[in-house]
Amino acid sequence: QVQLVESGGGLVQAGGSLRLSCVASGRTFSYYAMSWFRQAPGKEREFVAAISWMRSMTDYADSVKGRFTISRDNALNTMYLQMNSLKPEDTAVYYCAAGRSIATMSAQYAYWGQGTQVTVSS
């Protein structure tokens, strides 16, 4: 089992920045691919970014490329999402997830956090 806890969400104006963190506990964090998903009200959960367990591979949704950066520190059992140039359409609950391999589909991830709210005002 892997337990995941997100933090760092909040209210920010358009154009601003936030950094989300996801702290893992339980089974060895470094063996898992990690990802961020988000879900806006009335919408399905969507892929945001993913990073492989050795940090050699990353993937981003087109909507966040060039604005968001995913990273991880295996020594701290922590994953990050640096979000710059935020837009109102980035407003959502952001979830971190852990799985066996990097993927864009939520079904590929076995472990999920509870989510952290990000609200971007215009």
Side-chain angles (χ1 to χ4, degrees):
Q1 284 280 20
V2 176
Q3 292 78 42
L4 304 172
V5 179
E6 305 95 335
S7 63
L11 174 64
V12 64
Q13 289 188 333
S17 298
L18 283 174
R19 188 177 80 156
L20 305 183
S21 299
C22 173
V23 178
S25 60
R27 300 185 71 176
T28 307
F29 170 78
S30 60
Y31 292 165
Y32 288 89
M34 300 293 296
S35 182
W36 290 97
F37 284 77
R38 67 187 182 187
Q39 188 167 18
K43 296 187 177 181
E44 294 187 353
R45 190 170 297 189
E46 66 173 359
F47 170 76
V48 175
I51 186 167
S52 62
W53 69 282
M54 282 295 290
R55 303 185 296 274
S56 59
M57 293 175 56
T58 58
D59 194 14
Y60 294 92
D62 288 343
S63 58
V64 306
K65 279 181 182 177
R67 300 188 298 122
F68 290 11
T69 302
I70 190 171
S71 61
R72 65 190 293 169
D73 186 333
N74 289 340
L76 297 178
N77 287 354
T78 303
M79 176 181 64
Y80 305 97
L81 185 68
Q82 178 65 44
M83 305 186 295
N84 298 328
S85 302
L86 282 161
K87 304 175 181 180
E89 51 263 44
D90 294 318
T91 295
V93 177
Y94 283 70
Y95 298 90
C96 67
R100 296 180 61 86
S101 61
I102 194 170
T104 62
M105 296 183 65
S106 60
Q108 298 299 315
Y109 293 89
Y111 304 104
W112 292 84
Q114 294 300 306
T116 185
Q117 176 70 47
V118 172
T119 303
V120 185
S121 63
S122 57

